[in-house]
Amino acid sequence: MTIKIHHFYNVPESALLPLLDKLKAFNEAALNSGINKQFFITATDEDNIEVGAIYARIRYDWLYIHMLWVDETCRGQGVGTSLINAVEDEARALGIQRGRLSTADFSPGFTLYQKLGYQVFAKIPISSFYSIGSDNHTEYLMWKLAL
């Protein structure tokens, strides 16, 4: 068999969908994924302006928190805690007992996640764009084994 390798750059998300579908089918056959549900929850202020949002999903009996954003002016006021509690409530209602996420040392969410019971289970050195070759930051993989 002759194999040709093709390089693509600036790939639109739609081009990745066939690959994602193939990987999903393979993983689900191996793991019997059960519940597969996504959550996008927003928080708004009294003027109905969005001040925070969270995107999470349930897959393979885990709650995966993929993205959490809180407006800088609202940090430290309970918005992030409320959003995380909301997705954890959704997960518990479906019988999910554990959650995981990744964050970085420079993210304000790192301290919040620890406060809410998430623990670091792996550290990965990362570099910033301007310091290639110098691992001056850390990505943290975190989990909470009892939601």
Side-chain angles (χ1 to χ4, degrees):
M1 174 186 338
T2 302
I3 303 294
K4 292 182 181 180
I5 303 297
H6 305 271
H7 295 251
F8 301 92
Y9 302 94
N10 300 317
V11 180
E13 192 171 321
S14 61
L16 298 176
L17 294 177
L19 173 61
L20 292 172
D21 288 342
K22 291 171 187 172
L23 288 172
K24 179 181 170 186
F26 177 85
N27 290 342
E28 287 180 354
L31 297 173
N32 187 20
S33 69
I35 300 169
N36 183 3
K37 189 169 188 173
Q38 299 181 57
F39 305 99
F40 181 69
I41 300 171
T42 63
T44 57
D45 67 10
E46 59 278 351
D47 297 321
N48 207 31
I49 296 172
E50 191 172 277
V51 295
I54 190 167
Y55 169 68
R57 72 179 308 149
I58 292 177
R59 195 96 188 256
Y60 311 119
D61 294 329
W62 283 86
L63 168 67
Y64 292 87
I65 297 176
H66 289 286
M67 292 182 268
L68 171 67
W69 167 78
V70 175
D71 185 89
E72 190 172 328
T73 62
C74 298
R75 292 182 187 152
Q77 298 179 37
V79 175
T81 297
S82 295
L83 289 165
I84 292 169
N85 287 341
V87 295
E88 288 182 352
D89 289 347
E90 293 273 357
R92 277 191 300 275
L94 294 168
I96 303 302
Q97 298 298 315
R98 51 198 183 167
R100 58 193 260 196
L101 57 91
S102 71
T103 191
D105 59 351
F106 53 84
S107 170
F110 180 59
T111 303
L112 172 64
Y113 298 134
Q114 289 178 311
K115 182 180 105 180
L116 295 175
Y118 286 83
Q119 300 175 335
V120 173
F121 70 87
K123 297 178 184 180
I124 302 170
I126 55 176
S127 298
S128 72
F129 178 76
Y130 297 104
S131 62
I132 302 299
S134 172
D135 295 327
N136 58 345
H137 288 289
T138 302
E139 178 182 2
Y140 296 103
L141 305 182
M142 303 179 80
W143 61 15
K144 185 175 181 179
L145 298 178
L147 295 178

